[in-house]
Amino acid sequence: MFTYSTRDSLKSTLQKVRNQDKIIGFVPTMGALHEGHLSLVHRASEECDVVVVSIFVNPTQFNNQEDFLKYPNTLENDLKLLSQFPKVKVFVPSGDEVYPDEDSYEPIDLGQLDLVLEGKFRPGHFQGVVHVVRNLLQIVMPQRAYFGLKDFQQLAVIRRFSLMQDIETQIIPCETLRDVSGLALSSRNLRLSEKEKEDALIIHQTLLKIREWKLLHAPSMVKQMATDFFNQGVLKLEYLEIIDGNEFVNLHEEWTSNALCCIAAYCGEVRLIDNISC
Ligand code: AMP
């Protein structure tokens, strides 16, 4: 398997790939890889000739310094997991490679997306996400880039950015992978004890209840019922919102065809997010 740490070395390899009219897929990650990440790599491998997987814990998207410092790093294992994919080239850059001195990035207006849910509770987070994705896309220049629906709002932000900037890369959404218990796979789960992993199941249980309750009640009522249900567990709820997944506005009286319930909560010290279409 090929591993690159500088933009120049990766770019020159990818130029050769492009010269052969091959399709380049891209899966940006922050490492601590799990089956959820690998499902994106798997899909990209099926649909592309070469797949670049980046591993970079992006400091600019952490609004909480402690969260950044505690972000798991399992590089050796990540590389081992990726070695089973013959088409993969791994990009493990330093901060200087991603953010060179001549970086021309200008913040973009994310509108409503930056004001609600993750945008509201993690100020600056999405500007950091857009910045790193933009810089990585400029290096990799893939035809296709794969993102998880687990981070639904992030996906919407990247779509908006790509529309605003006329980015040619096709943005491909991928389903959330869960373990058998229903817990959405996340690098942050590595920081949970076995007991906390059990406690965290309340997130998925609540999301499933919402799907049931939706058949009988309006969104505002379901939100109240779901919040009460969630609060019977021990997690500390940051938000539970039922929104329209296109407009990112709260639903009150009527369900829309793209309704989504999003939850963010602390399990001990670890912040978890999840969502379900409902
Ligand atoms: P991260 O390393 O957390 O930045 O995630 C890298 C990519 O993997 C993002 O597009 C995530 O949405 C996606 N991802 C993370 N967890 C999962 C999961 N459980 N299922 C599917 N995709 C995921």
Side-chain angles (χ1 to χ4, degrees), residues 30-203:
M30 297 205 296
L33 300 184
H34 49 67
E35 289 296 325
H37 296 112
L38 298 186
S39 69
L40 274 56
V41 179
H42 184 73
R43 176 149 175 212
S45 291
E46 281 183 345
E47 297 176 355
C48 307
D49 299 307
V50 166
V51 177
V52 177
V53 178
S54 63
I55 298 178
F56 177 64
V57 184
N58 174 35
T60 69
Q61 72 186 68
F62 286 84
N63 56 312
N64 177 334
Q65 186 64 8
E66 197 181 325
D67 192 23
F68 172 60
L69 294 174
K70 289 196 172 159
Y71 202 82
N73 176 336
T74 60
L75 184 59
E76 202 178 317
N77 190 50
D78 294 350
L79 296 177
K80 201 161 131 206
L81 289 172
L82 291 173
S83 67
Q84 58 184 302
F85 295 93
K87 294 180 177 177
V88 162
K89 299 188 185 304
V90 192
F91 184 40
V92 193
S94 66
D96 291 344
E97 294 292 326
V98 178
Y99 298 114
D101 287 342
E102 68 275 18
D103 190 348
S104 62
Y105 176 73
E106 298 277 346
I108 66 160
D109 179 8
L110 294 169
Q112 173 75 355
L113 282 171
D114 223 3
L115 302 176
V116 297
L117 311 175
E118 294 299 283
K120 176 173 167 189
F121 284 93
R122 300 185 68 188
H125 168 64
F126 285 132
Q127 286 299 342
V129 167
V130 172
H131 192 171
V132 74
V133 169
R134 176 261 196 190
N135 285 15
L136 289 171
L137 287 177
Q138 278 192 346
I139 299 169
V140 180
M141 294 194 288
Q143 281 96 331
R144 302 162 75 89
Y146 297 80
F147 294 90
L149 284 160
K150 154 117 184 346
D151 299 285
F152 186 90
Q153 195 174 2
Q154 166 174 282
L155 182 65
V157 162
I158 289 162
R159 278 194 168 131
R160 181 183 168 100
F161 153 76
S162 106
L163 272 177
M164 284 171 81
Q165 308 268 316
D166 286 328
I167 305 281
E168 284 179 8
T169 302
Q170 201 182 336
I171 306 296
I172 315 230
C174 302
E175 289 300 326
T176 300
L177 226 80
R178 302 173 179 283
D179 74 13
V180 279
S181 66
L183 181 65
L185 298 183
S186 163
S187 305
R188 289 190 165 85
N189 295 354
L190 286 175
R191 293 177 54 203
L192 300 176
S193 67
E194 287 308 311
K195 156 89 169 56
E196 285 173 330
K197 275 188 197 157
E198 266 179 39
D199 294 342
L201 295 183
I202 191 76
I203 301 176

